[in-house]
Amino acid sequence: MFLETKEVEGDASISDFIVYATMREVKRRQRKYNGGKPWPPVKAGGVRRGQRRMEELQHRREEA
């Protein structure tokens, strides 16, 4: 999907695609849950990094 559409969508890399999709979801949640206002900044180390644990994988949300 990415390779077939990157030229028409203008994505320079898969990283660009991921950033665009992530920011679209951030903006959607800002509108829905935060009155459309930007979220406050997160301090360095405020978000857990790395792969999900097994119990987290069992409860993840997948959309078609």
Side-chain angles (χ1 to χ4, degrees), residues 16-33:
D16 281 352
F17 172 77
I18 291 168
V19 167
Y20 174 76
T22 301
M23 291 310 298
R24 187 176 61 202
E25 180 64 8
V26 166
K27 290 176 184 180
R28 183 190 74 80
R29 291 183 185 199
Q30 281 178 175
R31 286 191 303 272
K32 185 173 182 177
Y33 300 108

Side-chain angles (χ1 to χ4, degrees), residues 1-11:
M1 174 274 313
F2 167 74
L3 292 175
E4 289 81 5
T5 61
K6 72 178 187 167
E7 296 299 323
V8 293
E9 293 291 331
D11 302 314

Side-chain angles (χ1 to χ4, degrees), residues 38-54:
W39 298 102
V42 177
K43 293 181 181 179
V47 177
R48 186 175 68 86
R49 297 171 47 164
Q51 293 182 335
R52 291 177 242 170
R53 297 183 306 267
M54 186 60 74

